């Protein structure tokens, strides 16, 4: 006897009805905004929309033009440099700080508060502070020169070749505290007995970190990596505040390119194509991770 | 089968062809069970056998994939938990941490919008039965484990229901409290005479509390009988090995015929099967396993019947009892004797096996012969 | 003890050997080389993190003449609060010269309802996902979480169109909606993980007691979830206060949040640069999240750890 043929079974649609009603905002957000909005933008990236979105398909024309635009190439190069260095430095510095914090030190809370407070500040505030610190007339450069080293030059925000490092400096100041916190949580999550065993076996501390602890922290590293990466692709406010993309277009980034083409240059098609490229970049990172995290095993 | 299953009127809970699977994993398979009115039924099994799943199905907290559940002759398969006439006690007590004991007890009644004096009456009655009146104004965090579980039982009690469901209620308590509350639950059952369904993995709880025990393995009930029968006449080798500590001794061998009488042979040793009750013919040559519980082997002294000789390997004194591990005919066996009788390792002892309480299992099907 | 004595297994030598040698508590040097390295490095790092805050404060308390003369690290010779007053009440953005106060109040008007709405929605979502799963709920949740990684730029224009259709584009209500939408993934994850971590048997017991979806939410779950609500409030308050992109896209100049206004003041190309006013304005904008951060302390840490590590 099949169960569904039995009388009195409530309609499946009305089961858990309250839960479904309560989830309507989530469903709308997920389906209409996240899924629908993405599909919409990608679709319109194949049109020649200018001031208003129009469904006049032109194939890959926008993408061809995009990759022919020097400004886009600069912003992609900037993103690549900034992204790679930002990943390497924030992971290294974050882990080193966390390892230092994990030495059963005194004033741990004070140090943590100091390292993490920039994370509470906005990118705008961060950008403006570092704009001031790196001001060649009054900032670090002038202070060092006034100490006697008159030829000292450190003006990243006014030098197109190194401007992206100036932004990196500010970004690391803002974000490494978070990485440190995540790493510290990961270190604290490691069984005390591992340390005891390593000590009894006479393994030096740095070796224990390198060969035992770091491999055990793989999940933390992966999560941190994903978080940093998604932040990197989004970087926008910081550049706007610190350099407004300058000097010239030297510190432009894709997010700024998209914004300018959508809202100033009145070339929506370009903006959509550029944002679709950003989506592609994210997808390359996220999809393998999401597959490992959600696809491989059933999550509680 | 016919949807109009005839339900025996004296049954309190009836389960018909119940199946439950999560995706491709089948937890319960075509399960039938009738629980009589006022019966104390224990679902016993190791973790993952489906006993808690079955209880959650009865409670309405899990939806079965197939089958029906009847409580008091009413088909409740798709009823909400609250409409099934059940109360439930959980392993982790599941007391609402922010409410006082009194509010915990009355929460369900307040949700059902019962009149205030009725709520007070029921709470007072439950608190009286469980002797938790002094605790009524306290929060769960201020109670000991035993007190918490008493409140949890009280929460089922105030619901005035026919069927009580217990999901490993004593597993979080230490050994001493566990035996105290065990007695209390038994007393409660005797005075209330409700139907109680009790899930546990602890065979002592099962043997001491149950009117009947259902032993489960991989979602299937292996045997449903009163404790005595389960203990002395296990239906198969799994049940025999699961119940009893230390476990029943299993000797692999085969049946033979000696002078017209059936005997059991293993590694050149012969056991007479005189006194063994069976309805099946004990055909010579059949591969079987002989199962004898440690307490059904007599050692030395005034022993009757066929005598075997073995050597003591290890002695485990346990206070009231003394457990001997013996080497005999290539098998390691355990034997339980009185705590006062001590044997040094290497001592030779004489053994007599009580075949009236032994079991023979088919080597292939593992069912009792 | 005689050192020439060999390993004679005599009782006396054994006991004397037990008594000799290191015993008791190991003497600890406060200034061990290990400690110097650890604290030295931490101190150096702390300096790097603290310096910008210090420079901000010092600069904002100096007059412009002193800034032109001295170096940015030197403490002010003459403390003046004029830059603060100017930043708050007089600084110009475009034609408006009523200072940052306008942006501050806009931000307050945006942040408070956004935090309330987004947390209300996300907590119910998380509760439904943890305890009342229905067919497809996990699919929607996965889309939501993956959506958290989609660059905002991809979704901004469609939202502009939707808001324009609803007549909310350019209003504070539109921005509140946008914040609720983009806060949803992380907040929902936070609440879902929290509710999943609560004992499932409590939920079962409440169902046996006859409580329904909303009754369990309000009477059982909410009273147990105060910590996660505080954590979530901290995250949302700082996050929404610090937002720039949504503010600049979805509001008009007279409703710009503080961050947008700050950027306009500091990066305005007109007039003489008043660095002290700029720094005072920057500090004013950073003050709210900083205060939240210093008051909440460990809860803030717990929030980002819960949102990130478990995710």
């Amino acid at each position: 006897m099949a169960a569904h043929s039995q009388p009195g079974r409530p309609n499946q649609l009305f089961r858990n009805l309250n839960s479904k009603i309560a989830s309507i905002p989530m469903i709308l957000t997920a389906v209409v905004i996240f899924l629908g909005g993405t599909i919409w933008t990608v679709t319109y990236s194949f049109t020649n929309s200018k001031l208003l979105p129009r469904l006049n398909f032109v194939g890959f024309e926008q993408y061809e033009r995009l990759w022919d635009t020097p400004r886009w190439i600069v912003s992609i190069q900037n993103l690549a440099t900034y992204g790679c260095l930002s990943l390497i430095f924030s992971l290294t510095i974050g882990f080193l700080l966390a390892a230092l914090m994990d030495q059963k030190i005194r004033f741990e809370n004070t140090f943590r508060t100091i390292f993490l407070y920039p994370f509470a500040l906005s990118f705008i505030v961060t950008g403006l502070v570092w704009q001031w610190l790196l001001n060649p007339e009054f900032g670090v450069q002038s202070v060092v020169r006034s100490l006697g080293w008159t030829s000292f030059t450190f003006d990243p925000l006014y030098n197109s070749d190194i401007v992206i490092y100036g932004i990196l400096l500010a970004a690391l100041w803002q974000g490494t505290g978070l990485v440190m916190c995540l790493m510290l949580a990961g270190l604290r999550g490691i069984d005390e007995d591992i340390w005891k065993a390593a000590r009894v076996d006479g393994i030096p501390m740095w070796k224990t970190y390198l060969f035992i602890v770091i491999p055990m922290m793989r999940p933390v590293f992966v999560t941190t990596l994903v978080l940093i990466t998604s932040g990197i692709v989004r970087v926008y406010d910081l550049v706007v505040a610190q350099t407004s993309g300058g000097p010239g277009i030297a510190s432009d980034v894709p997010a700024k390119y998209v914004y300018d083409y959508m809202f100033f240059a009145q070339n929506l098609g370009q903006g959509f194509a550029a944002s679709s490229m950003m989506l592609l970049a994210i997808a390359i990172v996220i999809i393998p991770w999401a597959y490992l995290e959600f696809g491989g095993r059933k999550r509680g | 089968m016919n949807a109009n299953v005839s339900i025996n009127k004296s049954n309190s809970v009836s389960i018909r062809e119940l199946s439950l699977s999560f995706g491709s994993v089948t937890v319960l398979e075509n399960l039938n069970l009738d629980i009589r009115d006022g019966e104390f039924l224990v679902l016993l099994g190791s973790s993952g056998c489906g006993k808690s799943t079955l209880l959650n199905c009865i409670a309405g907290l899990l939806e079965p994939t197939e089958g029906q559940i009847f409580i008091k002759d009413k088909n409740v398969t798709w009823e909400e938990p609250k409409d099934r006439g059940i109360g439930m006690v959980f392993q982790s007590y599941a007391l609402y941490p922010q409410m006082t004991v009194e509010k915990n007890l009355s929460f369900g009644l307040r949700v059902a919008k019962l009149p205030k004096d009725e709520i007070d009456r029921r709470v007072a009655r439950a608190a009286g039965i469980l002797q938790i009146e002094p605790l009524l104004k306290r929060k769960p965090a201020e109670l000991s484990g035993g007190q918490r579980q008493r409140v949890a039982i009280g929460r089922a009690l105030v619901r005035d229901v026919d069927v009580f469901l217990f999901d490993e209620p004593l597993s979080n308590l230490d050994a001493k409290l566990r035996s105290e509350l065990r007695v209390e639950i038994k007393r409660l059952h005797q005075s209330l005479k409700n139907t109680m369904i009790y899930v546990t993995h602890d065979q002592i709880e099962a043997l001491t509390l149950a009117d009947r025990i259902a032993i489960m393995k991989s979602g299937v009930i292996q045997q449903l009988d009163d404790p005595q029968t389960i203990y002395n006449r296990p239906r198969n080798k799994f049940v025999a090995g699961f119940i009893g500590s230390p476990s029943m001794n299993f000797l692999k061998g085969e049946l033979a015929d000696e002078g017209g009488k059936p005997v059991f042979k293993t590694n050149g040793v012969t056991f007479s099967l005189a006194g063994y009750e069976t309805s099946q013919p004990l055909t010579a040559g059949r591969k079987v396993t002989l199962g004898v519980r440690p307490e059904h082997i007599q050692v030395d002294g005034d022993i009757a019947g066929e005598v075997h000789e073995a050597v003591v390997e290890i002695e485990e004194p346990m206070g009231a009892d003394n457990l001997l591990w013996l080497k005999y005919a290539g098998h390691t066996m355990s034997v339980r004797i009185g705590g006062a009788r001590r044997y040094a390792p290497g001592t030779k002892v004489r053994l007599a096996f009580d075949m009236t309480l032994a079991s023979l299992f088919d080597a292939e099907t593992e069912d009792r012969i | 003890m005689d050192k020439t004595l060999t390993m004679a297994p005599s009782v006396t030598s054994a006991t004397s050997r037990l008594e000799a040698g290191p015993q008791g508590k190991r003497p600890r040097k406060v200034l061990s080389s290990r400690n110097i390295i650890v604290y030295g490095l931490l101190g150096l790092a702390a300096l790097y993190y603290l310096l910008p805050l210090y420079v901000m404060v010092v600069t904002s308390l100096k007059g412009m003449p002193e800034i032109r003369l001295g170096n940015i690290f030197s403490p002010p010779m003459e403390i003046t609060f004029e830059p603060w007053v100017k930043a708050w009440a007089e600084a110009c953005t475009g034609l408006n010269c009523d200072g940052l106060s306008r942006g501050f109040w806009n931000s307050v008007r945006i942040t408070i309802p956004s935090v309330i709405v987004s947390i209300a929605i996300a907590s119910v979502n998380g509760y439904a996902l943890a305890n009342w799963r229905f067919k497809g709920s996990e699919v929607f949740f996965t889309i939501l979480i993956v959506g958290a990684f989609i660059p905002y730029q991809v979704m901004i224009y469609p939202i502009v169109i939707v808001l324009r259709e609803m007549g909310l584009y350019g209003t504070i209500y539109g921005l509140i909606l946008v914040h609720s939408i983009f806060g949803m993934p992380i907040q929902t994850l936070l609440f879902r993980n929290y509710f999943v971590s609560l004992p499932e048997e409590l939920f079962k017991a409440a169902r046996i007691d006859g409580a329904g979806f909303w009754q369990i939410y309000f009477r059982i779950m909410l009273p147990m979830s105060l910590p996660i609500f505080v954590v979530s409030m901290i995250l949302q308050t700082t996050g929404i206060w610090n937002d720039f992109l949504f503010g600049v896209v979805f509001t008009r100049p007279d409703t710009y949040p503080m961050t947008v206004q700050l950027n306009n003041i500091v990066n305005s190309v007109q007039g003489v640069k008043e660095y002290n006013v700029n720094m005072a304005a920057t500090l004013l904008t950073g003050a709210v999240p900083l205060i939240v951060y210093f008051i909440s302390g460990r809860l803030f840490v717990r929030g980002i750890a819960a949102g990130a590590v478990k995710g």
Side-chain angles (χ1 to χ4, degrees):
Chain A
M1 173 178 57
H4 52 77
S5 69
Q6 290 175 8
R9 183 163 196 131
N11 189 329
Q12 281 298 307
L13 193 67
F14 295 112
R15 275 190 37 73
N16 236 342
L17 189 63
N18 274 323
S19 176
K20 286 173 187 170
I21 292 172
S23 300
I24 287 175
M26 176 183 85
I27 294 170
L28 282 181
T29 301
V31 175
V32 176
I33 305 293
F34 289 179
L35 205 59
T38 306
I39 292 169
W40 190 94
T41 301
V42 173
T43 308
Y44 275 84
S45 74
F46 294 103
T47 69
N48 63 354
S49 306
K50 286 285 183 195
L51 178 59
L52 290 171
R54 279 182 213 294
L55 270 179
N56 190 358
F57 289 103
V58 292
F60 283 92
E61 203 177 283
Q62 296 286 6
Y63 291 90
E64 283 164 22
R65 198 179 304 159
L66 183 69
W67 288 98
D68 280 339
T69 311
R71 191 179 158 193
W72 173 254
I73 306 292
V74 169
S75 48
I76 285 292
Q77 282 166 345
N78 278 338
L79 188 68
T81 318
Y82 170 82
C84 290
L85 294 177
S86 167
L87 267 182
I88 294 168
F89 280 110
S90 45
L91 283 179
T92 320
I93 297 172
F95 183 79
L96 284 178
L97 285 180
L100 288 172
M101 296 274 285
D102 201 30
Q103 302 305 312
K104 300 193 170 63
I105 55 160
R106 300 173 70 188
F107 312 118
E108 185 191 317
N109 280 335
T110 314
F111 279 117
R112 199 213 322 261
T113 308
I114 292 172
F115 296 151
L116 194 59
Y117 87 88
F119 184 70
L121 293 171
S122 65
F123 276 120
I124 297 295
V125 168
T126 306
L128 295 177
V129 177
W130 282 88
Q131 187 191 59
W132 173 235
L133 280 167
L134 298 177
N135 184 321
E137 253 179 281
F138 305 104
V140 176
Q141 175 176 301
S142 92
V143 171
V144 175
R145 280 185 185 175
S146 71
L147 291 174
W149 185 1
T150 49
S151 66
F152 178 79
T153 310
F154 187 63
D155 58 343
L157 302 191
Y158 293 83
N159 182 339
S160 338
D161 294 335
I162 56 169
V163 62
I164 200 68
Y165 303 101
I167 290 170
L168 181 69
L169 210 57
L172 288 179
W173 177 76
Q174 205 259 359
T176 36
L178 168 72
V179 180
M180 184 275 291
C181 262
L182 299 178
M183 295 286 166
L184 191 59
L187 283 174
R188 294 279 151 85
I190 282 173
D191 192 347
E192 277 280 316
D193 290 348
I194 296 281
W195 282 106
K196 289 181 189 161
R199 224 180 129 186
V200 170
D201 287 346
I203 300 167
M205 187 183 268
W206 65 273
K207 269 195 178 171
T208 314
Y209 269 117
L210 208 58
F211 297 115
I212 300 170
V213 173
I214 291 183
M216 284 178 78
M217 280 171 61
R218 207 192 67 97
V220 179
F221 272 95
V222 172
T223 326
T224 315
L225 204 79
V226 170
L227 278 182
I228 302 176
T229 315
S230 69
I232 288 170
V233 178
R234 267 181 203 163
V235 65
Y236 171 73
D237 323 15
L238 186 61
V239 176
V240 168
Q242 213 176 343
T243 66
S244 311
I249 55 161
S251 61
D252 212 339
V253 284
K256 189 164 182 308
Y257 184 95
V258 171
Y259 179 81
D260 288 351
Y261 271 87
M262 273 188 198
F263 296 101
F264 288 119
Q266 295 175 339
N267 192 341
L268 286 176
Q270 266 297 287
F272 295 150
S275 57
S276 301
M277 291 310 303
M278 289 175 69
L279 181 66
L280 188 68
I282 278 290
I284 290 169
V285 180
I286 297 301
I287 288 176
W289 169 76
Y291 182 77
L292 286 176
E293 191 86 342
F294 296 97
R297 60 203 150 90
K298 202 85 189 146
R299 281 164 61 90
Chain B
M1 80 171 252
N2 190 343
N4 302 316
V5 189
S6 63
I7 304 300
N8 190 327
K9 281 292 170 194
S10 69
N11 282 337
S12 173
V13 178
S14 293
I15 289 149
R16 290 280 171 272
E17 307 202 318
L18 193 77
S19 294
L20 180 90
S21 38
F22 298 111
S24 58
V25 185
T26 306
V27 186
L28 297 174
E29 210 177 344
N30 198 18
L31 192 142
N32 288 293
L33 180 62
D34 286 306
I35 300 158
R36 296 183 208 115
D37 214 3
E39 184 174 29
F40 198 120
L41 182 102
V42 172
L43 296 170
L44 177 66
S46 44
S47 62
C49 72
K51 58 190 191 303
S52 280
T53 310
L54 175 58
L55 197 73
N56 277 306
C57 282
I58 298 173
L61 296 168
L62 281 175
E63 258 207 1
T65 320
E66 302 255 338
Q68 294 168 301
I69 297 165
F70 297 84
I71 294 177
K72 287 276 162 189
D73 304 334
K74 194 174 134 209
N75 187 336
V76 296
T77 313
W78 294 307
E79 293 284 351
E80 278 294 305
K82 66 173 158 72
D83 302 326
R84 294 186 176 211
I86 49 140
M88 191 161 175
V89 179
F90 297 91
Q91 177 178 355
S92 66
Y93 327 126
L95 299 180
Y96 312 124
Q98 71 278 8
M99 299 183 194
T100 60
V101 167
E102 188 177 9
K103 297 277 182 225
N104 259 288
L105 293 176
S106 62
F107 180 70
L109 308 178
R110 285 182 285 134
V111 166
K113 299 210 163 58
L114 257 62
K116 176 116 191 10
D117 51 338
E118 171 71 8
I119 294 178
D120 290 343
R121 196 185 59 74
R122 288 209 206 170
V123 169
R125 176 176 160 265
I129 293 174
L130 293 162
Q131 297 171 332
I132 49 174
E133 290 111 327
L135 311 176
L136 284 177
K137 295 291 170 211
R138 293 207 208 156
K139 293 265 178 80
E142 302 161 37
L143 304 180
S144 69
Q147 290 170 328
R148 283 181 210 186
Q149 199 51 287
R150 234 169 270 212
V151 176
I153 295 172
R155 194 166 53 184
L157 220 54
V158 293
R159 290 177 56 75
D160 243 351
V161 288
D162 305 310
V163 180
F164 276 35
L165 308 176
F166 293 89
D167 194 356
E168 308 224 14
L170 306 182
S171 299
N172 277 12
L173 301 172
D174 62 47
K176 187 164 170 290
L177 263 175
R178 205 180 305 162
S179 56
E180 278 176 30
L181 260 127
R182 204 168 68 208
V183 175
E184 209 155 312
I185 290 175
K186 189 151 193 171
R187 194 174 291 138
L188 196 68
H189 180 240
Q190 279 169 4
S191 64
L192 294 176
K193 304 205 164 47
N194 286 36
T195 309
M196 292 189 174
I197 307 175
Y198 187 107
V199 162
T200 184
H201 63 265
D202 183 321
Q203 45 168 309
I204 305 295
E205 276 173 33
L207 292 168
T208 50
L209 288 171
D211 292 329
R212 282 193 304 165
I213 299 175
I215 295 196
M216 292 183 69
K217 183 194 170 196
S218 334
V220 177
I221 293 178
Q222 302 290 317
Q223 185 168 5
L224 173 62
D225 262 313
D226 62 275
Q228 208 54 39
T229 312
I230 294 234
Y231 191 77
N232 290 327
R233 295 279 181 272
R235 186 179 290 164
N236 58 36
K237 205 178 149 202
F238 171 79
V239 174
F242 191 84
I243 289 273
S245 171
S247 191
M248 183 183 263
N249 297 301
F250 291 115
L251 312 177
K252 270 189 187 163
E254 59 176 40
L255 292 176
D257 195 315
E258 224 160 65
K261 298 232 160 115
V263 291
F264 171 77
K265 283 197 160 173
T266 174
N267 296 346
V269 187
T270 307
F271 292 83
S272 155
L273 291 176
Y276 186 76
E277 286 173 33
T278 178
S279 52
Q280 294 182 33
L282 298 170
T283 328
R286 189 171 176 183
K287 296 258 183 289
V288 292
T289 302
L290 173 68
V292 189
R293 294 201 181 278
E295 46 274 34
H296 295 157
I297 302 174
Q298 279 182 290
V299 180
D300 286 350
D302 185 20
I303 58 176
E306 192 182 41
V307 172
H308 301 264
E309 259 192 16
V311 177
V312 177
E313 270 198 330
I314 290 171
E315 185 196 27
E316 281 189 300
M318 297 191 289
D321 296 336
N322 196 357
L323 201 64
L324 300 182
W325 292 88
L326 311 168
K327 201 87 185 168
Y328 184 58
H331 298 284
T332 301
M333 287 192 298
S334 58
V335 175
R336 194 196 298 276
I337 56 174
R341 299 170 59 193
R342 305 294 302 267
Y343 287 88
T347 317
K348 276 195 177 159
V349 289
R350 297 183 307 131
L351 308 173
F353 293 74
D354 186 348
M355 284 302 161
T356 56
L357 294 169
S359 298
L360 281 171
F361 303 101
D362 187 284
E364 199 95 339
T365 63
E366 301 206 330
D367 284 340
R368 191 172 198 272
I369 299 172
Chain C
M1 189 176 106
D2 190 354
K3 282 203 174 133
T4 58
L5 199 74
T6 48
M7 301 288 283
S10 77
V11 181
T12 45
S13 81
T15 36
S16 53
R17 226 184 297 136
L18 278 177
E19 281 159 6
Q23 52 176 292
K25 203 176 167 196
R26 183 206 296 257
R28 287 222 176 264
K29 273 190 294 181
V30 180
L31 285 176
S32 67
S33 59
R34 181 181 157 277
N35 272 358
I36 291 175
I37 292 175
V38 168
Y39 286 102
L41 286 175
L42 283 175
L44 222 60
L47 209 64
Y48 168 70
Y49 285 98
L50 280 177
L51 213 56
L53 185 63
Y54 167 77
V55 169
M56 263 195 280
V57 174
V58 194
T59 309
S60 73
L61 296 174
K62 291 175 185 171
M64 270 315 282
E66 193 187 332
I67 289 177
R68 288 201 194 89
L69 288 175
N71 86 39
I72 55 167
F73 298 114
S74 62
M77 288 178 281
E78 202 177 327
I79 292 179
T80 165
F81 290 100
E82 205 185 319
W84 287 76
V85 176
K86 207 169 174 195
W88 177 254
E90 294 162 29
C92 295
T93 39
L95 297 174
N96 281 323
C97 281
D98 49 5
L100 260 182
S101 52
R102 173 205 294 270
F104 174 83
W105 291 115
N106 282 340
S107 275
V108 170
R109 272 198 291 273
I110 293 162
T111 305
I112 291 175
S114 300
V115 169
I116 293 172
V117 172
S118 64
I119 291 181
I121 294 175
S123 63
V124 174
N125 279 345
Y127 163 66
L129 286 166
N131 292 316
W132 297 86
R133 282 187 212 165
F134 52 88
K135 215 172 174 187
S137 62
E138 289 292 296
V139 176
F140 296 122
F141 179 62
T142 309
I143 298 176
L144 199 71
I145 294 303
V146 172
F149 293 102
I150 300 174
Y152 297 140
Q153 280 77 6
V154 176
M155 292 171 285
I156 276 187
Y157 208 87
I159 296 178
V160 169
I161 294 176
V162 170
L163 289 184
R164 203 179 273 150
E165 291 299 311
M166 294 166 74
L168 293 176
Y169 182 61
T171 66
I172 278 185
Y173 303 105
L175 187 56
I176 291 168
L177 194 63
V178 170
H179 280 307
S180 303
I181 286 172
F182 286 105
M184 207 184 284
I186 292 296
Q187 297 297 311
T188 303
L189 181 74
L190 204 66
F191 279 103
R192 189 195 83 130
N193 286 350
Y194 183 81
F195 289 130
V196 164
S197 77
L198 293 179
E200 200 195 356
E201 296 192 336
L202 267 173
F203 171 74
K204 288 183 177 174
R207 285 200 66 195
I208 302 253
D209 272 339
F213 185 88
W214 295 109
Q215 273 171 323
I216 296 179
Y217 175 74
F218 283 110
R219 295 172 77 168
I220 309 291
M221 295 299 178
L222 272 198
M224 287 199 294
S225 318
L226 196 66
I228 199 71
F229 272 89
V230 175
V231 164
S232 155
M233 248 165 67
I234 293 165
L235 285 182
Q236 281 298 80
T237 309
T238 52
I240 294 170
W241 189 274
N242 287 339
D243 159 70
F244 174 79
L245 179 67
F246 299 141
V248 85
V249 172
F250 294 105
T251 54
R252 301 204 174 90
D254 57 327
T255 46
Y256 273 163
M258 203 172 185
T259 46
V260 179
Q261 214 195 352
L262 169 74
N263 187 52
N264 288 350
I265 290 176
V266 176
N267 283 329
S268 129
V269 280
Q270 297 145 343
V272 189
K273 291 239 176 201
E274 293 182 286
Y275 297 111
N276 50 358
V277 176
N278 288 351
M279 282 304 111
T282 310
L283 272 174
L284 279 171
T285 311
V288 168
L290 273 188
I291 290 169
V292 170
Y293 170 69
F294 285 120
I295 291 177
S296 58
R298 295 194 75 99
L299 275 178
F300 186 89
V301 178
R302 191 178 143 187
I304 58 171
V309 175
K310 279 189 188 169

